[in-house]
Amino acid sequence: MTASSTPSADFSSLPLSAAMQETLRSLGYLAMTPIQAASLPLTLAGQDLIAQAKTGSGKTAAFALPLLHRLDSRELSVQAMVLCPTRELADQVCQEIRRLARLEANIKVLTLCGGSPIRPQAESLAFGAHIVVGTPGRIMDHLERDNLDLSQLRTLVLDEADRMLDMGFHDDIVKVARQCPKDRQTLLFSATYPEGIAQLSKQFLRNPKEVKVASTHDAAKIRQHWFQVDDSTRLDAVTQLLWHFRPANAIAFCNTKQQCRDLVDVLTAHGIEALALHGDLEQRDRDQVLIQFANRSATVLVATDVAARGLDIAQLEAVINVDVTPDAEVHIHRIGRTGRGDAEGLALNLASMDEMGRVGKIEQLQGRESQWTPLDSLHASGTEPLHAPMVTIQILGGRKEKIRPGDVLGALTGAAGFEGKQIGKINVTDFHTYVAVDRDIGRQAVAKLNTLPLKGKKVKARLLMDLRQDER
Ligand code: ADP
Ligand code: MG
């Protein structure tokens, strides 16, 4: 089924509660995305589903709405479970479910992922939850320890099923699914449809409906430019692209971790705030990188494909393909991260002579020729340095110390005397709090935070930027 055959893209055509309709309006979800329009009439009617659509197409709401629809909030039992490949993705899914559930009665959503201690998760489970979102390995752990009772489960979701298979979660998924009641609804979402998915679905889904939205669907909305380079100029060319196009933020994809590290060094040397996201990072470092990128303290996120899996970064102005990927589908996924919603996207692709075979495969898949621009026709626009507008302050102390974003904002705008508009995003994690502030007040704000009490206690604060330099 394709988007064009769907009857209505209006959420009001769906059997959703008035509260949910109101939530959708307040979130600015005015029309269904194609995958939502194609799947929601089926899933809200209780059908099992296999859905395939590219990253950024609104798959989360496509499964969150039916699982919330089937949920009875008066009964405190685990009624829905979402399996995701990574912790970041689980966090994002959890946030989206909470956003969508905000006008419904108190619905408890828990994330259960590796990389965090298991005992606090077990304690939270003992208090009760309606929805759990997590990685298959950690969920399996909880099942083996009898922490998690799935006997009341009504909806099972496999999100990014292709990625979970890639990451070796097949056996865990099988074991977890076996512990779910037979009469549940199962929804499987995937960006691609490899053989393993068909096998998985045969095992667990009951007469599933299949819904597919073409992966190149809105590629026309993405402006793609190709630039020929050789390996000795490739990394400097990235700087040149940034100076010319001046995106507020960008992801630069590399094929290897080493290339990621090298590119970060080159960009940093040019005064461009760039951070690497690759598989060798500890979970805490990954979190810090993503927080700094999302709060606008870093302009460029330099990532491998594996590390960037499942990330949803809203409003990404540009994707830079530093290396051409050997897999043309991966190219489509990479560039699909820019230009979401109505925004036009920008994809800047570098390729050397050796990579032209790969470029050919991409042209074939996209059904159009590449447009080449000579690199030396680009000129730096403007003379302003390309600094990210914010810097991130790290405060030692987080959720465990009961710090809330409002406490930090209150301290900075109250006693410290800063203006609200100088303060950006505030993220509270278990042990740390991260606050973005205007770049030019960074040091003053750190000094104030180190002298003022927060929640009645003295705290330690420092600029994350300085921390990174110490580690070099
Ligand atoms: P996917 O899982 O397919 O990669 P997401 O579910 O993460 O995509 O959605 C991508 C973005 O689109 C999110 O920021 C989400 O809030 C937004 N979104 C989803 N559905 C709609 C809609 N109907 N209208 C507007 N924005 C939407
Ligand atoms: Mg998703």
Side-chain angles (χ1 to χ4, degrees):
M1 195 190 224
T2 56
S4 54
S5 62
T6 53
S8 168
D10 199 336
F11 280 109
S12 62
S13 66
L14 299 173
L16 294 169
S17 68
M20 185 56 83
Q21 300 280 8
E22 174 57 33
T23 300
L24 291 165
R25 263 194 302 278
S26 72
L27 290 176
Y29 289 18
L30 303 177
M32 290 188 254
T33 66
I35 192 70
Q36 292 165 358
S39 66
L40 285 168
L42 304 168
T43 52
L44 289 171
Q47 291 270 359
D48 278 10
L49 177 82
I50 302 175
Q52 188 191 340
K54 72 179 183 80
T55 303
S57 54
K59 294 192 287 294
T60 319
F63 61 73
L65 291 173
L67 76 78
L68 288 167
H69 187 67
R70 285 167 73 87
L71 196 118
D72 180 356
S73 61
R74 289 161 303 182
E75 191 198 319
L76 188 53
S77 57
V78 176
Q79 296 169 50
M81 176 164 69
V82 183
L83 301 182
C84 303
T86 65
R87 171 168 149 184
E88 283 91 29
L89 189 62
D91 284 339
Q92 287 170 4
V93 165
C94 178
Q95 277 169 21
E96 175 88 350
I97 293 177
R98 286 199 177 122
R99 266 204 298 269
L100 289 168
R102 70 183 176 194
L103 290 185
E104 308 275 317
N106 241 324
I107 292 179
K108 288 185 122 186
V109 193
L110 266 188
T111 53
L112 302 174
C113 298
S116 306
I118 199 157
R119 189 177 309 184
Q121 294 178 350
E123 285 163 6
S124 304
L125 274 172
F127 277 112
H130 296 100
I131 304 170
V132 298
V133 182
T135 47
R138 180 53 64 95
I139 291 202
M140 196 57 230
D141 275 357
H142 283 294
L143 285 169
E144 277 168 356
R145 290 164 199 239
D146 276 334
N147 295 337
L148 178 57
D149 174 9
L150 295 179
S151 62
Q152 303 304 311
L153 194 88
R154 301 175 183 193
T155 315
L156 170 66
V157 180
L158 309 183
D159 190 20
E160 307 242 353
D162 50 349
R163 304 302 188 211
M164 290 199 285
L165 292 182
D166 279 355
M167 294 172 77
F169 280 135
H170 176 272
D171 294 352
D172 283 331
I173 296 174
V174 172
K175 281 189 216 148
V176 171
R178 284 212 184 106
Q179 304 219 19
C180 299
K182 283 227 160 45
D183 62 349
R184 65 172 193 268
Q185 182 181 29
T186 308
L187 310 174
L188 184 153
F189 286 78
S190 200
T192 60
Y193 197 90
E195 173 56 22
I197 299 288
Q199 284 180 351
L200 258 193
S201 63
K202 264 191 226 121
Q203 292 179 64
F204 312 122
L205 277 71
R206 291 182 308 177
N207 306 323
K209 296 281 183 212
E210 289 187 27
V211 164
K212 181 177 172 174
V213 174
S215 65
T216 49
H217 196 70
D218 53 5
K221 275 198 355 233
I222 301 171
R223 267 187 301 149
Q224 281 202 73
H225 298 282
W226 290 83
F227 305 89
Q228 194 182 327
V229 293
D230 52 55
D231 287 332
S232 62
T233 56
R234 195 186 290 267
L235 300 184
D236 286 322
V238 178
T239 316
Q240 228 179 316
L241 294 177
L242 289 167
W243 277 98
H244 178 85
F245 290 96
R246 303 184 82 86
N249 61 13
I251 288 198
F253 283 105
C254 301
N255 288 353
T256 65
K257 291 174 209 165
Q258 188 57 45
Q259 184 85 314
C260 287
R261 290 192 202 98
D262 293 347
L263 179 58
V264 167
D265 288 344
V266 169
L267 295 178
T268 308
H270 282 91
I272 298 170
E273 284 80 22
L275 295 170
L277 189 71
H278 55 69
D280 286 351
L281 293 183
E282 302 271 333
Q283 187 66 47
R284 199 189 52 147
D285 294 325
R286 278 178 71 92
D287 290 347
Q288 278 187 11
V289 165
L290 292 172
I291 285 171
Q292 291 177 86
F293 186 65
N295 74 18
R296 307 179 62 211
S297 304
T299 310
V300 188
L301 187 66
V302 181
T304 56
D305 293 295
V306 174
R309 259 168 204 178
L311 284 185
D312 172 34
I313 296 160
Q315 284 162 352
L316 200 55
E317 283 195 12
V319 166
I320 303 176
N321 288 303
V322 181
D323 305 305
V324 184
T325 161
D327 181 343
E329 287 263 355
V330 168
H331 180 84
I332 309 266
H333 288 306
R334 285 179 173 184
I335 67 171
R337 294 172 172 279
T338 170
R340 294 184 174 189
D342 292 329
E344 192 183 57
L346 178 65
L348 306 171
N349 310 318
L350 300 177
S352 66
M353 280 313 285
D354 293 344
E355 292 170 321
M356 291 304 165
R358 295 175 178 182
V359 175
K361 288 207 302 196
I362 291 169
E363 289 181 329
Q364 243 179 357
L365 185 67
Q366 292 185 325
R368 56 178 174 157
E369 281 184 20
S370 308
Q371 289 188 343
W372 294 87
T373 309
L375 258 181
D376 54 20
S377 71
L378 299 185
H379 299 285
S381 20
T383 48
E384 287 289 297
L386 256 180
H387 275 309
M390 314 297 279
V391 285
T392 302
I393 300 171
Q394 181 194 51
I395 300 169
L396 298 182
R399 227 174 271 133
K400 300 285 176 210
E401 283 74 30
K402 310 227 182 310
I403 294 180
R404 291 162 182 241
D407 304 327
V408 181
L409 186 63
L412 286 169
T413 55
F418 295 109
E419 288 178 50
K421 65 174 200 279
Q422 295 176 298
I423 318 298
K425 264 193 165 186
I426 300 173
N427 295 83
V428 184
T429 67
D430 283 350
F431 302 105
H432 296 103
T433 300
Y434 300 91
V435 48
V437 300
D438 277 358
R439 180 161 293 271
D440 48 357
I441 63 161
R443 301 218 175 266
Q444 280 165 278
V446 167
K448 293 276 191 194
L449 283 170
N450 276 317
T451 52
L452 290 171
L454 199 62
K455 284 254 134 160
K457 266 194 259 160
K458 262 192 77 134
V459 291
K460 280 212 171 98
R462 58 193 172 186
L463 284 180
L464 266 189
M465 209 166 56
D466 293 345
L467 202 65
R468 285 210 299 280
Q469 268 149 18
D470 293 347
E471 280 166 9
R472 269 165 198 271

